[in-house]
Amino acid sequence: MTRRRRAAGIVVWLVAVLLLGSAAGGAQALPLVRAASTPEGTVQAASSWWHPCLPEDFDKPPKITPLARAYKVKLVAKTSVKNMLDVQQTMKLFEGQKFSTEVETSVKGSLEGERVLKVALEAGWTQKTYTEKTKSAEQIWTVPAGRHLQAEVWLKSLYMVYRSTTYVEMTNGPFGFWCRDSEKTSLPRVATIPSSDHFCWWYGEDGTTCDMVWDHGSPGGGGVPPGGGTPPSPTGPQPVTDVRGLADGTLLSTTDTGRVYKMVGGAPVWQATCEDGICASTPRPTTQAVIDAGPRTPRNGSTAVDQRGRVYLFVGGAPLWQEGCEAPVTCGTPVKVSSWSVDARDHMNQRPADGQLVQAKAGSTDLPVSVTVGGALIPFATPQEVIDAGYGSDWAGRVVAISPGSYNGLGTIPADGTLVQGASGGVSTPVAMILGGAAIPFASPQEVIDAGYGNDWTSKVRGIPSRHFHSLPPIPQDGTLIQGSLGSTPVAAIMGGGRVNFASPQEVIDSGFGTDWPSKVRAVPARAFSALPTQIVDGTRLGKVGATSEAAVVGGARVDFHSETERNDAGYGDKPLWKLPARVWDGMTTQIADGTRIANSGTTGEAAVVGGARVDFHSESERNDAGYGDEPRQVIPARVWDAMTTRIADGTRIGKSGSTGEAAVVGGARVDFHSETERNDAGYGDKLLQMVPARVWDGMTTQIADGTRIAKSGSTGEAAVVGGARVDFHSESERNDAGYGTKPRQVIPARVWDGMTTQIADGTRIVKSGTTGEAAVVGGARVAFHSMEELQGAGYGAKPRQVIPARVWDGMTTQIADGTRIVKSGTTGEAAVVGGARVDFHSMEELQGAGYGAKPRQVIPARVWDSMTTRIADGTLIKAPGSADVWRVSADRRHLVTETGTTVWTVPQRVIDAIPVG
């Protein structure tokens, strides 16, 4: 399908002010909010009828709605070099290795990637991405003599779950493009957006690993506290009774604990060693009590350098590793400290305190001013947003300039449990908790307290722009454990974007969450718990607890893999595996949802699932014209592909690709709608429209299958299709007695109903409702069977039984229609019915000469054959093969006629000769 797309530019406000300072945001009024329900699958609102496309139809681009996010890293390049010489030498680490950095979505060959990237940038989920498809990893390095240099390049990507909503459907129909308003929301989709790369290097032998830290600094909290230290002997300086006001770099030694401290940004930092010139100055004596009474962390903008040569700039008490000190970053003269001091975070925060304003410059681009919330960055789009979020009109003087690496390394996902509230123009959003990167809103103050935030929860709320608040996803990232507050719900995990409830503690452990899982569970309002979707996103790899079984989620269904090869060929070998309790695994549907685009593993074959059936595409054009070019491509094993039915289920609404034609599938047949009114009256107006290739549409039968229960649109009339005919029910009892009470009711347009024949086709096996009576329809007549032997001897044993009301049975004629070719059961005898009589053929030549060679053979019981008259009825017109003479039979004689006006039946010359001339 050809679509017009318009690219929208991204306008990002860039703040130019780069000053130092700090701020904090507070809570505002807490409004109530209703729980929003999350759709579980593809939804299509009632759509209008097709019309020639108008200019405004092209101005309704799809809407991307983010649902959940996570960040993933992977190793994309690795190498090492060893300098075997006694002198240092320059060596090349990477020789032009390349790795993909393009945005990938589950939709291939479309502009959806651009739309997803735009939403991610506007939401602040990623601060940068690559525009080139590959990035070269090539480095030249000076390696000291005898040293072994190791290096790795890692790629960090945003993994985003989202939905796409389209508002206009378009097709290349008669006389150009046709459109119709139709709000269609997709099943969850996924996108992978490369956000940053990390070059990690270290000296070490093979087998050693890099402490790969994305914030360009040590995560802290590690290391063993040093001993009392060996400070130089004091030479008599004045004891320190208050560390406040001491110059950075001042060395202190505690007389009671024997520790060495060094002043950094106004705070005393414990030193693990005096090596590398750390204790070059004369220490001043003090006590541990004085140290403990001093500032807890260094001030904003102060700097330090450790024994590894890493320079740190302090923001909100946390050391941020600066990969460079180029302007606008101001590193000053960093204080030399031990590496342990940073790793152990002595007198330092693990992450920046909330409310710190920072900004960075990436090349020539000013990144947005952002605030630290829950250890992550929340970007601002305008100066007014900074003020609205509670940072005052003088906020610009508190902005700290940091390097782009440390800026991007802080990430955009606040820590679990962070309380946030959006503000804009004096209007605030609900208070929400951050959980797995998602915002879980509270509906009342009591809900906040019940979730474990205490009565003083308002002091913990951080102000952020309303724009950013609304961009936060509603679904926590995979692996998050949740439970309704105060134990009001089962414990559940988010897997593949869906909520999976556990029935016992053992299920949680078996699914891989460890025996310490209770410590990982986060309380959320029961209302919010129930609102989370239970549909696992397509493309998720699943495993069954207690078994080796694996599967993929395709079209909302579980598609099992029968071997490791099947799994890998379908592209799931390197995807994360989520283990489902056996109970949940067994309860999943195996029916792939309609509208899913599937591909045959190991081939180029593609198809769509329409009415539960596999509808194959014979070309890329067929696929695109049917509207599946922009749908995610889900690969399934060839075994599953081959086993799928190709019969579209009854009740499916289908459209003809490349036209405005619509129809319903009824009894396996295509029943066309001639107008929007017909479609809506038949109850198909709000059903999902499934487009099929024109080739498939044209190849569908229009004959409704026998045994189908049909209803007349706009009336209470019901009927069954028997032998291709409409057999009406005059009452509910008739319908139920005929066995159609529990069959699905298929409504068809009144026009189609009225146009159906009421003549049951020859060869149909019929049963009288409420009795054991059976018969065959032969020449439009009811030919009863008197025994099972008769029925089977006539060849009807394997035919389906079509039950008809007794009233209809009794009303049927028993006279076989003229022109019917009949066969005597159990013999080779054949005849034609002419004038109500059995006219036997004595040879195949006679049969073919009379024109019956191509007619269907209707076998009748020998009893019925023997009882048939051989006397041709008066008024019947007959002729011999190849003769122009026409005879009228009357009173067992024949009379030559010149004008007929009615049907003339051809019979063997032998039969004519046996009738006397009148």
Side-chain angles (χ1 to χ4, degrees):
M1 182 181 297
T2 302
R3 300 175 185 266
R4 181 186 298 180
R5 297 176 170 91
R6 295 184 178 178
I10 305 174
V11 180
V12 179
W13 170 73
L14 303 174
V15 179
V17 181
L18 296 168
L19 297 172
L20 305 179
S22 63
Q28 300 179 31
L30 178 71
L32 297 182
V33 61
R34 294 192 303 273
S37 61
T38 303
E40 292 282 293
T42 300
V43 177
Q44 178 169 314
S47 53
S48 64
W49 197 245
W50 295 98
H51 61 267
C53 291
L54 302 172
E56 53 265 31
D57 291 321
F58 297 101
D59 293 325
K60 299 175 183 177
K63 177 185 177 183
I64 302 299
T65 303
L67 300 178
R69 61 175 170 170
Y71 289 92
K72 300 182 178 181
V73 296
K74 69 175 181 178
L75 179 66
V76 294
K78 181 176 183 179
T79 190
S80 65
V81 295
K82 189 170 186 179
N83 184 0
M84 305 298 292
L85 302 179
D86 293 333
V87 296
Q88 69 179 19
Q89 61 175 324
T90 301
M91 309 177 78
K92 182 177 288 187
L93 277 167
F94 291 100
E95 188 71 38
Q97 297 190 37
K98 296 184 176 182
F99 53 92
S100 173
T101 55
E102 63 182 332
V103 177
E104 296 180 2
T105 72
S106 52
V107 179
K108 303 295 184 182
S110 72
L111 291 179
E112 188 145 327
E114 294 180 16
R115 299 189 183 105
V116 171
L117 175 58
K118 178 177 183 290
V119 169
L121 287 169
E122 290 178 338
W125 288 12
T126 182
Q127 299 300 335
K128 74 169 186 176
T129 189
Y130 299 98
T131 55
E132 55 187 10
K133 290 189 176 181
T134 59
K135 181 178 178 64
S136 174
E138 184 171 319
Q139 295 284 337
I140 305 296
W141 210 261
T142 300
V143 184
R147 300 300 295 271
H148 195 168
L149 179 64
Q150 307 275 356
E152 295 174 345
V153 177
W154 293 77
L155 180 66
K156 181 179 181 181
S157 298
L158 165 66
Y159 181 80
M160 177 172 161
V161 181
Y162 66 96
R163 292 182 189 272
S164 176
T165 302
T166 54
Y167 300 96
V168 174
E169 284 187 85
M170 190 181 305
T171 187
N172 190 2
F175 314 111
F177 287 99
W178 289 70
C179 293
R180 67 187 192 123
D181 294 332
S182 177
E183 185 173 331
K184 180 181 178 183
T185 300
S186 72
L187 287 163
R189 300 176 176 179
V190 296
T192 302
I193 304 173
S195 58
S196 61
D197 65 276
H198 178 77
F199 178 70
C200 181
W201 65 271
W202 71 101
Y203 291 110
E205 298 299 320
D206 291 340
T208 58
T209 59
C210 171
D211 182 15
M212 200 263 307
V213 181
W214 284 90
D215 64 359
H216 295 266
S218 170
V224 178
T230 55
S233 300
T235 58
Q238 287 296 318
V240 173
T241 58
D242 189 344
V243 299
R244 293 176 177 83
L246 293 180
D248 284 356
T250 301
L251 202 64
L252 304 171
S253 65
T254 56
T255 56
D256 50 352
T257 58
R259 296 177 182 177
V260 175
Y261 287 86
K262 201 168 189 181
M263 297 301 295
V264 179
V269 176
W270 188 6
Q271 301 303 302
T273 179
C274 282
E275 294 181 0
D276 298 323
I278 293 174
C279 302
S281 61
T282 302
R284 296 181 63 181
T286 189
T287 63
Q288 192 63 49
V290 172
I291 294 292
D292 294 342
R296 195 179 64 83
T297 61
R299 61 180 171 270
N300 271 16
S302 56
T303 57
V305 59
D306 67 9
Q307 294 167 276
R308 295 163 294 204
R310 297 174 177 174
V311 176
Y312 300 89
L313 190 152
F314 287 89
V315 173
L320 302 184
W321 180 15
Q322 304 298 295
E323 73 274 17
C325 290
E326 295 81 10
V329 179
T330 302
C331 293
T333 304
V335 178
K336 187 70 171 286
V337 297
S338 69
S339 297
W340 177 89
S341 301
V342 178
D343 293 346
R345 291 296 196 267
D346 182 72
H347 277 79
M348 303 175 193
N349 289 332
Q350 175 68 34
R351 58 194 184 196
D354 289 348
Q356 311 304 306
L357 299 175
V358 298
Q359 188 177 29
K361 193 179 189 73
S364 60
T365 302
D366 291 335
L367 300 179
V369 167
S370 298
V371 64
T372 56
V373 174
L377 292 184
I378 305 298
F380 295 108
T382 66
Q384 189 60 47
E385 280 194 346
V386 189
I387 298 170
D388 289 345
Y391 297 95
S393 57
D394 60 344
W395 59 268
R398 296 192 299 275
V399 178
V400 179
I402 60 178
S403 67
S406 59
Y407 180 97
N408 291 317
L410 285 172
T412 59
I413 300 182
D416 283 358
T418 304
L419 292 179
V420 296
Q421 183 175 37
S424 177
V427 178
S428 58
T429 70
V431 168
M433 67 179 292
I434 300 298
L435 181 59
I440 308 297
F442 294 106
S444 69
Q446 190 59 48
E447 280 194 346
V448 189
I449 296 170
D450 290 345
Y453 288 93
N455 292 326
D456 62 340
W457 61 267
T458 55
S459 64
K460 305 171 185 176
V461 179
R462 300 295 175 251
I464 63 175
S466 292
R467 170 192 55 79
H468 188 86
F469 183 96
H470 293 306
S471 76
L472 293 171
I475 304 173
Q477 65 186 24
D478 288 354
T480 305
L481 288 177
I482 58 174
Q483 185 177 30
S485 298
L486 306 178
S488 55
T489 72
V491 171
I494 303 298
M495 300 184 188
R499 171 172 54 82
V500 177
N501 291 356
F502 295 112
S504 69
Q506 192 60 48
E507 280 194 347
V508 189
I509 297 170
D510 291 344
S511 290
F513 291 93
T515 54
D516 61 341
W517 63 267
S519 64
K520 304 171 186 175
V521 178
R522 297 293 178 262
V524 300
R527 168 193 53 76
F529 181 98
S530 300
L532 289 170
T534 57
Q535 174 62 59
I536 299 175
V537 70
D538 283 1
T540 304
R541 175 185 169 193
L542 303 175
K544 182 178 182 179
V545 165
T548 58
S549 304
E550 291 193 21
V553 179
V554 176
R558 194 192 81 224
V559 175
D560 298 345
F561 299 123
H562 282 192
S563 67
E564 185 176 341
T565 300
E566 272 196 352
R567 181 199 68 195
N568 294 346
D569 289 347
Y572 286 83
D574 59 353
K575 290 194 173 185
L577 176 66
W578 294 103
K579 301 284 281 186
L580 292 181
R583 168 187 54 81
V584 179
W585 172 284
D586 295 337
M588 289 185 70
T589 181
T590 55
Q591 176 60 56
I592 301 174
D594 285 356
T596 306
R597 173 186 169 188
I598 55 175
N600 189 356
S601 173
T603 75
T604 58
E606 292 196 22
V609 179
V610 178
R614 192 192 81 222
V615 176
D616 297 347
F617 299 123
H618 285 191
S619 67
E620 186 175 343
S621 296
E622 271 197 352
R623 182 199 67 198
N624 294 347
D625 289 346
Y628 285 86
D630 288 342
E631 291 296 323
R633 183 175 179 270
Q634 305 292 342
V635 181
I636 62 175
R639 169 187 53 80
V640 178
W641 173 285
D642 294 337
M644 290 184 71
T645 182
T646 56
R647 185 183 186 277
I648 301 174
D650 288 354
T652 305
R653 174 186 172 191
I654 58 174
K656 182 178 182 179
S657 173
S659 81
T660 59
E662 292 191 23
V665 178
V666 176
R670 192 191 81 224
V671 176
D672 297 348
F673 298 122
H674 284 192
S675 68
E676 184 177 357
T677 301
E678 271 196 354
R679 181 198 68 195
N680 295 347
D681 288 349
Y684 285 83
D686 58 355
K687 288 195 175 184
L688 181 66
L689 175 64
Q690 305 283 340
M691 301 298 288
V692 299
R695 169 187 53 80
V696 175
W697 173 285
D698 295 336
M700 292 182 70
T701 182
T702 55
Q703 176 59 57
I704 301 175
D706 287 355
T708 306
R709 173 185 171 188
I710 56 175
K712 182 178 182 179
S713 172
S715 78
T716 59
E718 292 197 23
V721 179
V722 177
R726 192 191 81 226
V727 177
D728 297 347
F729 299 123
H730 284 192
S731 67
E732 186 176 343
S733 298
E734 273 195 352
R735 183 199 67 200
N736 295 346
D737 290 346
Y740 285 82
T742 59
K743 288 193 175 184
R745 186 173 177 269
Q746 304 292 337
V747 181
I748 61 175
R751 169 189 53 79
V752 178
W753 172 285
D754 295 338
M756 291 181 69
T757 181
T758 55
Q759 175 59 56
I760 301 175
D762 288 355
T764 305
R765 175 184 174 186
I766 56 175
V767 179
K768 182 177 182 179
S769 173
T771 75
T772 58
E774 295 200 28
V777 178
V778 178
R782 190 190 76 229
V783 176
F785 300 119
H786 285 191
S787 67
M788 184 57 66
E789 290 74 19
E790 277 195 350
L791 182 148
Q792 298 203 9
Y796 284 82
K799 289 192 174 184
R801 298 168 77 250
Q802 303 291 342
V803 182
I804 61 175
R807 169 188 54 78
V808 178
W809 172 286
D810 295 338
M812 290 181 70
T813 181
T814 56
Q815 175 60 55
I816 300 175
D818 286 354
T820 304
R821 176 184 174 184
I822 57 175
V823 179
K824 183 177 182 180
S825 174
T827 74
T828 58
E830 295 202 26
V833 178
V834 176
R838 192 192 79 225
V839 175
D840 299 346
F841 298 118
H842 287 186
S843 66
M844 185 58 66
E845 289 76 13
E846 279 193 349
L847 182 147
Q848 291 182 345
Y852 286 84
K855 289 192 174 185
R857 298 168 79 250
Q858 304 291 340
V859 182
I860 62 176
R863 171 187 54 78
V864 177
W865 174 285
D866 294 338
S867 66
M868 289 182 71
T869 182
T870 56
R871 181 178 179 277
I872 299 175
D874 289 353
T876 306
L877 299 179
I878 59 175
K879 64 182 286 295
S883 173
D885 293 339
V886 177
W887 305 88
R888 176 180 284 112
V889 177
S890 179
D892 296 329
R893 292 182 176 275
R894 55 187 168 100
H895 306 275
L896 193 64
V897 295
T898 56
E899 294 183 5
T900 60
T902 56
T903 303
V904 178
W905 300 102
T906 301
V907 298
Q909 184 66 55
R910 170 183 54 76
V911 175
I912 291 179
D913 294 342
I915 302 175
V917 178

